[in-house]
Amino acid sequence: MHLTATHADHRSLHRELLTCRRRLHVGGARTALFNWLFAKSQGGELILRVEDTDIARSTKESEDKILEGLKWCGISWDEGPDVGGEHGPYRQSERIKAGIYEKKLEALMAEGHAYRCFLSPEELDEMRAEAERNEQAFVVQSPWANASEEEVQAMIDQGKPYVYRFRVPFDREIVVDDLVLGEVIWNSDDLGGDFVIVRQNGMPMYNFGVVVDDASMGITHVLRAQEHLMNTPRQILMYEALGLKVPTFGHMPLILAPDRTKLSKRHGAVSVGEYQKRGYLPSGMVNYLAQLGWNDGTKQEIYTIHELLEAFKMERMSKVAAIFDTDKFKWVNGHHVRRLDDDEALELIGARLKEHGLVKEVSGEFVRKASQLLRDRISTLEEAVEELVSMLEFDLEGMMAKDVAKPYMEDGALHETARLLLHAKEQGDFDGIGKDPQVMKKIAQGIGKARGGVKKKALLVPFRLCLTSSDQGPDMNIFFEMLQEVDDNVLCKCVSLEERLEMLKDKFELDQPVPC
């Protein structure tokens, strides 16, 4: 699948083979993003082309998933199989039926640039083995390159299978002025000999198909990953053989895992869909992918899509591989989660809570307040579930078994704080909790005074442990304001303030609160 972009008098191309996979890989998404940024920053249009000649792996389901992934990222197109346009058909399988490749193949054959090759797989294997035995590079030197018409026709009459090979000229220097890498030079003798352009089943090979398609669609810029660099000299030779204008190429840096190997499943999620399921935002995905091999020359790290469009310049593309850092990705995504407005937080975070059975519906004051509270505490939407459950459950036993509680258990601070909290409840000091932001502050000040003016940490840590069972968390006024809104819509376990204080009373055996 290609995304092709048009602008002004020329058209640019994103080339990243996608439909042979069953999902949109982050590498493919990044290549699509850079092409989208390039085209749109130039006031261009985008065309999507589907390369589905690998019948076994190219399915309608895989195509749909990839298109959905691109759309989720905010990458749209002006022409394609789903929207139509003047440069169709947009699937290579449909272009085969239209005879588009056949005409160009005939042109290559007529000019002597291509020929039928009847070499069997066994013969090729033997040629390859012979090269290995002689410690030489394997170069295809087909005896059919110079066969007579009579010899070829005799094989056809016998029903012998054949492929079409492109005739690589000898000792030709091929030069490309790459938008990213600068000048790159090859010698045609280093390309491995004559290469296949049409399979036995009549399907065009990648290099041949994209040359024909790019030319017929008027593509002038080809932007793709550096793993496609070795395809470039072969494609240039075919452009020239067909008398077509060679486009401008740009090969972007690869995305590697932290161990500098190819990014794969063993390094975690590698598809856009997996990250979507894990609660990453499209804006976070786009922001992070844009920084894998590109920067605008500043220290800015968080961008909106509009800021990326304004800043994008191809000359800022790096030549070296980028490392996919999942921690950094999560950090970037967290910034975008915190940028959600109240309605977006309700819709997205609320949907996660409902999906995991914490609430019945994405509505009501509890869900609204919970979404706003969680927005500032999570890096992915999926984290909202565990975070909310942890806050609402009040795991007093678990808290007291942790190292953070140990010093406050040993010096009696937890016991004393629990006693003073119960006294504050008896005195009515908790009245107005969740409504008046001064309530919690006054209770904390009273406890601090009763404990002889202890320092801030010695006061606030046991104070928070006693009320939330954690030494970290949201503003307690906001938390208890949310807790006041628990209703029938809430399905998960919620321990109220009254229940928390009662649990403290039982745990510390405080039958009668002792006044300060």
Side-chain angles (χ1 to χ4, degrees):
M1 183 179 298
H2 292 346
L3 288 183
T4 64
T6 73
H7 60 86
D9 297 326
H10 64 277
R11 308 164 71 80
S12 66
L13 166 71
H14 153 50
R15 179 173 297 144
E16 184 78 6
L17 191 58
L18 299 176
T19 43
C20 65
R21 303 170 182 147
R22 296 179 180 176
R23 62 196 189 284
L24 178 60
H25 189 280
V26 292
R30 188 202 59 168
T31 305
L33 172 63
F34 282 146
N35 279 266
W36 186 86
L37 289 170
F38 174 75
K40 294 305 178 182
S41 66
Q42 302 294 318
E45 297 178 342
L46 225 60
I47 299 175
L48 182 144
R49 185 171 76 229
V50 177
E51 296 175 352
D52 57 351
T53 57
D54 188 338
I55 300 174
R57 303 177 69 183
S58 298
T59 66
K60 183 64 168 62
E61 180 185 10
S62 66
E63 178 184 319
D64 289 344
K65 285 184 178 180
I66 292 169
L67 265 61
E68 288 170 9
L70 291 171
K71 290 176 181 178
W72 180 78
C73 288
I75 299 171
S76 58
W77 43 92
D78 302 281
E79 294 185 36
D82 56 337
V83 296
E86 60 179 295
H87 296 94
Y90 297 97
R91 294 184 180 90
Q92 282 190 334
S93 58
E94 296 170 354
R95 297 174 70 79
I96 291 172
K97 293 177 181 177
I100 294 173
Y101 309 109
E102 185 177 358
K103 293 177 182 178
K104 294 300 182 182
L105 177 62
E106 290 173 355
L108 288 175
M109 291 286 289
E111 295 295 324
H113 294 298
Y115 62 90
R116 293 180 180 86
C117 177
F118 295 88
L119 281 174
S120 67
E122 293 77 18
E123 288 174 311
L124 284 168
D125 287 342
E126 177 54 35
M127 292 169 64
R128 187 177 291 104
E130 179 67 18
E132 290 179 359
R133 285 192 293 269
N134 296 326
E135 298 183 348
Q136 297 175 338
F138 175 53
V139 177
V140 175
Q141 295 178 320
S142 174
W144 296 99
N146 300 306
S148 66
E149 292 184 12
E150 292 76 16
E151 290 174 312
V152 170
Q153 189 59 52
M155 295 293 282
I156 294 174
D157 292 342
Q158 295 175 49
K160 297 293 186 181
Y162 60 88
V163 298
Y164 287 90
R165 288 187 182 273
F166 181 83
R167 197 186 306 273
V168 177
F170 293 109
D171 197 25
R172 268 282 310 278
E173 187 178 79
I174 306 164
V175 182
V176 62
D177 187 13
D178 193 277
L179 287 175
V180 179
L181 302 175
E183 186 177 79
V184 185
I185 303 174
W186 298 268
N187 188 286
S188 60
D189 291 350
D190 298 326
L191 300 182
D194 299 347
F195 55 90
V196 178
I197 57 174
V198 177
R199 300 181 180 93
Q200 289 182 6
N201 61 5
M203 290 290 184
M205 296 292 285
Y206 170 75
N207 282 321
F208 178 54
V210 296
V211 166
V212 174
D213 290 339
D214 294 351
S216 65
M217 291 181 172
I219 303 304
T220 59
H221 287 69
V222 176
L223 311 178
R224 57 191 179 188
Q226 287 179 13
E227 61 187 347
H228 287 284
L229 185 61
M230 280 307 299
N231 290 320
T232 306
R234 295 180 176 88
Q235 291 170 13
I236 289 175
L237 289 174
M238 280 190 285
Y239 276 110
E240 294 175 347
L242 289 166
L244 302 171
K245 184 177 180 181
V246 178
T248 299
F249 289 93
H251 290 88
M252 294 170 284
L254 299 175
I255 300 177
L256 300 180
D259 60 2
R260 303 198 70 81
T261 60
K262 186 176 181 180
L263 190 64
S264 64
K265 276 188 173 182
R266 68 187 180 88
H267 300 107
V270 293
S271 74
V272 169
E274 288 177 81
Y275 281 110
Q276 182 181 2
K277 291 177 181 178
R278 294 184 182 194
Y280 284 78
L281 300 180
S283 56
M285 172 70 74
V286 166
N287 187 161
Y288 184 64
L289 291 180
Q291 292 176 292
L292 292 178
W294 174 89
N295 68 78
D296 66 356
T298 72
K299 294 184 178 180
Q300 183 174 346
E301 294 189 279
I302 305 303
Y303 298 83
T304 65
I305 188 64
H306 301 293
E307 289 171 333
L308 286 172
L309 272 175
E310 291 177 359
F312 186 78
K313 296 288 188 299
M314 276 298 295
E315 53 264 32
R316 292 298 309 173
M317 193 72 65
S318 172
K319 297 180 182 180
V320 299
I323 302 299
F324 194 92
D325 185 334
T326 53
D327 291 335
K328 184 63 177 291
F329 183 14
K330 182 179 287 189
W331 178 83
V332 169
N333 195 73
H335 280 271
H336 286 271
V337 172
R338 290 186 284 281
R339 284 186 171 192
L340 296 172
D341 63 33
D342 289 351
D343 289 339
E344 290 171 330
L346 174 63
E347 177 186 356
L348 296 174
I349 297 176
R352 290 281 165 158
L353 302 182
K354 179 182 178 181
E355 179 184 341
H356 287 271
L358 274 62
V359 297
K360 294 178 184 176
E361 302 296 337
V362 184
S363 61
E365 279 305 302
F366 175 84
V367 182
R368 176 171 289 278
K369 292 182 185 299
S371 298
Q372 294 170 8
L373 182 151
L374 292 166
R375 172 183 58 195
D376 297 326
R377 297 191 52 75
I378 59 176
S379 296
T380 69
L381 301 179
E382 192 68 8
E383 290 178 356
V385 177
E386 183 178 349
E387 183 72 16
L388 184 62
V389 168
S390 177
M391 287 192 293
L392 295 177
E393 281 187 339
F394 189 62
D395 183 9
L396 186 59
E397 291 289 342
M399 176 272 288
M400 296 180 70
K402 292 180 180 178
D403 290 341
V404 68
K406 186 176 181 180
Y408 303 104
M409 292 283 289
E410 292 177 348
D411 67 8
L414 272 179
H415 187 278
E416 185 177 4
T417 300
R419 185 183 296 279
L420 293 170
L421 282 169
L422 288 168
H423 176 66
K425 180 67 169 64
E426 289 293 317
Q427 295 294 109
D429 294 344
F430 277 96
D431 295 347
I433 189 75
K435 297 178 182 178
D436 181 358
Q438 295 300 313
V439 169
M440 196 63 70
K441 182 178 180 179
K442 291 177 180 177
I443 294 174
Q445 288 175 339
I447 292 177
K449 183 178 179 181
R451 292 185 56 203
V454 294
K455 293 182 179 180
K456 188 174 182 180
K457 182 179 180 180
L459 166 66
L460 294 182
V461 173
F463 183 69
R464 178 177 284 278
L465 288 173
C466 282
L467 289 176
T468 68
S469 75
S470 174
D471 62 324
Q472 298 179 346
D475 182 288
M476 287 194 286
N477 281 298
I478 299 175
F479 173 70
F480 284 109
E481 180 181 354
M482 175 192 73
L483 206 56
Q484 301 294 321
E485 302 294 345
V486 174
D487 56 18
D488 292 343
N489 189 44
V490 182
L491 300 175
C492 58
K493 178 182 178 182
C494 299
V495 181
S496 66
L497 174 61
E498 291 74 13
E499 291 173 319
R500 290 166 188 248
L501 293 173
E502 193 63 31
M503 289 171 68
L504 286 174
K505 180 180 177 180
D506 293 341
K507 183 63 182 177
F508 291 102
E509 299 180 352
L510 302 172
D511 296 329
Q512 295 294 328
V514 177
C516 303

